[in-house]
Amino acid sequence: DEEMFTTCPKTQALLFFFFLLLYIMILCGNTAIIWAVYTHTSLHTPMYFFLSSLSFLEICYTTTVVPLMLSNIFGAQRPIPLAGCAAQMFLFCTLGGTDCFLLAVMAYDRYVAICHPLHYTLTMTQKRCIQLMVASLSLAFYLDLQLTALIFTLPFCGHRLEINHFLCDAPPILRLACGDTRVHQAVLFVVGILVLTLPFLLISISYIFIANTILRIRSAEGRRRAFSTCSSHLSVVLLQYGCCTLVYMCPQSSTSEDEDRQLALVYTFVTPLLNPLIYTLRNKDVKDALKKSMGCKAASETP
């Protein structure tokens, strides 16, 4: 069973409509980005290919969790079979891991575009972009398949298993285990290093080179444009990696179940909602494409 946040009917109704509204906004915002990218040839570039892929991942990522969560807010909470719980954890972690790898790929794309602009079209070909996307998904799939298989071979206590969470995730499931989980905790930590720490280091290194290149640009307008293409990406990166690191890489004793659940709400709802908002509000090309899609004249002509 997955425990929800409250048993008060009025609060349940408020939570249901609040999370439903967030979910609809996530679907609409990310779908709008995908539609804008694929219907406007001006956005058929590597950066927007990765951005639309990120939006698609966000839709799938939240859909593995939110519909079941909403159905459990009202009425009796329907128990999930152990296999169903394993499937949800595997899908959630695989899509989340792909998300983290893709953010690193997007940083590499910006590094090549800003630091080596003359080689950009030769380096970031359509074939290379697809290869990077498939590699991100494949690596996340492989790591999380091993992790899920390892965790669900543990013995669990009691006939009625309840997790104090709204989704089947590795930390709350490990808390239910009867046996020694030290090896499993160590494996979770190693997977966390591979999925969170290494991509974050690659992103950090990319941005050190990017910042160094931006500071050498003579014109203020050139510096502003180069920085604006990266600042939105960096905002999403810090939020995503920060919350995930606290949940997956801190010892169980250092965070409570309630804290884990609150942090999970951030990367389940807040990050997928902020992605389209940040990328559209801070990106003139996407804003113009969306305005044209809605039949409005763009505020200024794209050079």
Side-chain angles (χ1 to χ4, degrees):
D1 283 5
E2 294 174 356
E3 284 188 15
M4 286 315 301
F5 306 91
T6 180
T7 54
C8 174
K10 287 184 179 178
T11 311
Q12 282 181 334
L14 284 172
L15 284 173
F16 178 85
F17 288 110
F18 175 67
F19 289 127
L20 178 62
L21 178 63
L22 288 182
Y23 182 53
I24 291 169
M25 289 170 69
I26 288 167
L27 292 181
C28 292
N30 285 291
T31 302
I33 286 182
I34 295 168
W35 189 52
V37 170
Y38 283 95
T39 56
H40 291 79
T41 52
S42 61
L43 300 182
H44 290 180
T45 64
M47 182 173 80
Y48 295 112
F49 167 75
F50 293 131
L51 178 55
S52 62
S53 300
L54 183 69
S55 290
F56 179 72
L57 277 176
E58 301 287 19
I59 290 171
C60 297
Y61 176 76
T62 51
T63 302
T64 61
V65 175
V66 180
L68 184 61
M69 172 186 158
L70 291 174
S71 72
N72 283 336
I73 288 180
F74 279 128
Q77 293 170 22
R78 290 181 292 278
I80 307 173
L82 202 61
C85 193
Q88 187 188 53
M89 179 185 141
F90 170 68
L91 288 171
F92 182 77
C93 292
T94 298
L95 292 166
T98 307
D99 204 315
C100 291
F101 291 134
L102 186 57
L103 287 171
V105 169
M106 291 172 76
Y108 173 71
D109 173 71
R110 292 299 82 208
Y111 160 74
V112 178
I114 292 171
C115 300
H116 302 285
L118 298 179
H119 298 124
Y120 184 69
T121 53
L122 292 174
T123 305
M124 301 305 292
T125 60
Q126 185 180 28
K127 183 181 177 182
R128 178 69 56 81
C129 292
I130 293 169
Q131 285 173 340
L132 288 168
M133 185 66 222
V134 170
S136 298
L137 180 59
S138 301
L139 185 55
F141 179 92
Y142 175 76
L143 290 172
D144 289 303
L145 184 63
Q146 307 300 313
L147 179 66
T148 305
L150 183 68
I151 287 176
F152 280 88
T153 54
L154 277 166
F156 295 102
C157 305
H159 296 291
R160 183 179 169 84
L161 302 174
E162 257 189 20
I163 58 171
N164 184 24
H165 214 294
F166 59 88
L167 70 104
C168 293
D169 202 4
I173 290 168
L174 283 173
R175 286 190 174 100
L176 291 179
C178 295
D180 185 2
T181 61
R182 283 177 296 180
V183 172
H184 303 76
Q185 292 283 357
V187 171
L188 179 62
F189 185 78
V190 170
V191 171
I193 289 174
L194 294 172
V195 174
L196 296 169
T197 309
L198 288 182
F200 186 74
L201 283 174
L202 290 172
I203 291 169
S204 301
I205 292 165
S206 296
Y207 274 97
I208 289 169
F209 284 110
I210 287 168
N212 187 45
T213 303
I214 290 173
L215 291 172
R216 291 207 306 267
I217 297 174
R218 291 182 181 179
S219 71
E221 176 63 18
R223 282 196 300 271
R224 188 195 64 77
R225 289 188 65 181
F227 180 73
S228 69
T229 62
C230 299
S231 57
S232 53
H233 178 249
L234 205 52
S235 306
V236 173
V237 163
L238 292 173
L239 190 65
Q240 175 93 352
Y241 284 91
C243 292
C244 289
T245 299
L246 287 172
V247 171
Y248 293 103
M249 298 195 67
C250 290
Q252 277 191 12
S253 56
S254 66
T255 57
S256 69
E257 291 179 335
D258 286 340
E259 286 171 336
D260 279 357
R261 192 166 57 180
Q262 288 159 9
L263 288 165
L265 281 173
V266 175
Y267 57 76
T268 305
F269 284 99
V270 180
T271 311
L273 181 62
L274 283 182
N275 274 354
L277 288 175
I278 289 172
Y279 282 113
T280 51
L281 291 175
R282 299 183 65 88
N283 190 298
K284 181 179 176 296
D285 294 334
V286 176
K287 280 195 289 187
D288 286 352
L290 289 172
K291 284 177 184 176
K292 287 174 185 174
S293 296
M294 292 184 293
C296 299
K297 189 177 178 181
S300 60
E301 191 176 329
T302 305

